[in-house]
Amino acid sequence: GQNIDQPTEMTATEGAIVQINCTYQTSGFNGLFWYQQHAGEAPTFLSYNVLDGLEEKGRFSSFLSRSKGYSYLLLKELQMKDSASYLCAVDNAGNMLTFGGGTRLMVKP
Amino acid sequence: GAVVSQHPSRVICKSGTSVKIECRSLDFQATTMFWYRQFPKQSLMLMATSNEGSKATYEQGVEKDKFLINHASLTLSTLTVTSAHPEDSSFYICSARDLRDTGPYGYTFGSGTRLTVV
């Protein structure tokens, strides 16, 4: 079966750094996605990792270790607008995405 | 980039009636469409996968006779919630995939539909 775990909620301070972890066990693997979703809106693509290592894109970075079934999303210089849900999703090579439960991040002043 | 248009964005219907939600891929051919449901403070749960011209494949626990999916063309898929009940109230999101695009941007989401059944 497919199992993707991430923390339910996190709180961080404006200007700080936060790391959101995701662990997965899937029957196949063709890449891991991170999405940002504000309430009532569709998910917005943030990053994609298919090889081990760190992918950096501005204030957002994503890391993948395939051997450990582990990824994290790193958000730097947090802003109030970063308060949202962050979804980890795995393409299990079946040409479909399986989502984790999502992490609700609250950024406080 | 690829765009998926989803309509309506919000709909309120009476219990027992049917509601149709449309998803259109505007600038690419959606060989595969995915329909998700999302309850408050929860993640996206896949309901069904449809390939153009074929019957949809439903996830376990999703009633295919209640959630009718039609993917008659490469640019349009519809989800019809039949005999809607208050427990069907949710946020429904479609996602389209062009299988000829093997890159990470191959999944494109619609803007979602907030369904409220009263």
Side-chain angles (χ1 to χ4, degrees):
Chain A
Q2 323 293 337
N3 195 31
I4 302 174
D5 291 318
Q6 49 182 131
T8 305
E9 292 184 347
M10 298 183 72
T11 302
T13 305
E14 189 177 17
I17 299 173
V18 70
Q19 176 175 312
I20 303 174
N21 296 323
C22 173
T23 58
Y24 65 90
Q25 290 177 308
T26 56
S27 55
F29 184 82
N30 192 37
L32 185 144
F33 295 75
W34 283 96
Y35 290 89
Q36 180 191 63
Q37 186 183 27
H38 287 97
E41 299 180 10
T44 302
F45 171 82
L46 289 178
S47 69
Y48 171 76
N49 295 70
V50 67
L51 299 176
D52 289 351
L54 186 68
E55 294 281 342
E56 297 186 80
K57 189 185 298 183
R59 294 190 300 116
F60 294 75
S61 302
S62 57
F63 172 83
L64 175 68
S65 170
R66 289 172 296 171
S67 62
K68 296 181 179 179
Y70 167 70
S71 173
Y72 67 73
L73 178 69
L74 194 70
L75 291 76
K76 303 176 184 176
E77 301 170 13
L78 280 173
Q79 302 175 8
M80 298 300 290
K81 67 177 182 180
D82 296 329
S83 293
S85 287
Y86 291 86
L87 310 177
C88 172
V90 173
D91 182 333
N92 65 355
N95 289 312
M96 58 179 283
L97 292 181
T98 300
F99 284 85
T103 299
R104 289 193 301 280
L105 174 66
M106 182 180 298
V107 180
K108 294 186 174 181
Chain B
V3 176
V4 172
S5 174
Q6 182 172 346
H7 292 282
S9 57
R10 292 178 180 271
V11 58
I12 301 173
C13 71
K14 291 185 177 180
S15 186
T17 61
S18 295
V19 173
K20 180 184 285 188
I21 302 170
E22 289 189 352
C23 266
R24 293 180 184 273
S25 57
L26 298 186
D27 49 5
F28 68 101
Q29 294 182 326
T31 51
T32 305
M33 282 275 196
F34 305 94
W35 287 95
Y36 296 88
R37 180 169 52 182
Q38 185 176 33
F39 291 107
K41 296 187 178 182
Q42 294 186 23
S43 190
L44 279 68
M45 296 299 296
L46 182 66
M47 299 175 66
T49 303
S50 71
N51 293 300
E52 184 264 339
S54 303
K55 288 186 177 181
T57 301
Y58 290 81
E59 295 299 301
Q60 192 173 8
V62 178
E63 301 174 56
K64 61 181 181 180
D65 294 330
K66 180 172 182 61
F67 299 98
L68 302 179
I69 291 173
N70 184 289
H71 191 171
S73 78
L74 284 171
T75 59
L76 174 64
S77 177
T78 61
L79 167 67
T80 301
V81 183
T82 62
S83 187
H85 291 285
E87 56 265 30
D88 298 323
S89 298
S90 187
F91 192 55
Y92 293 86
I93 307 175
C94 66
S95 174
R97 180 86 194 271
D98 182 350
L99 287 180
R100 292 165 294 184
D101 178 358
T102 58
Y105 307 101
Y107 296 97
T108 305
F109 287 88
S111 54
T113 298
R114 171 72 60 193
L115 170 64
T116 304
V117 185
V118 298

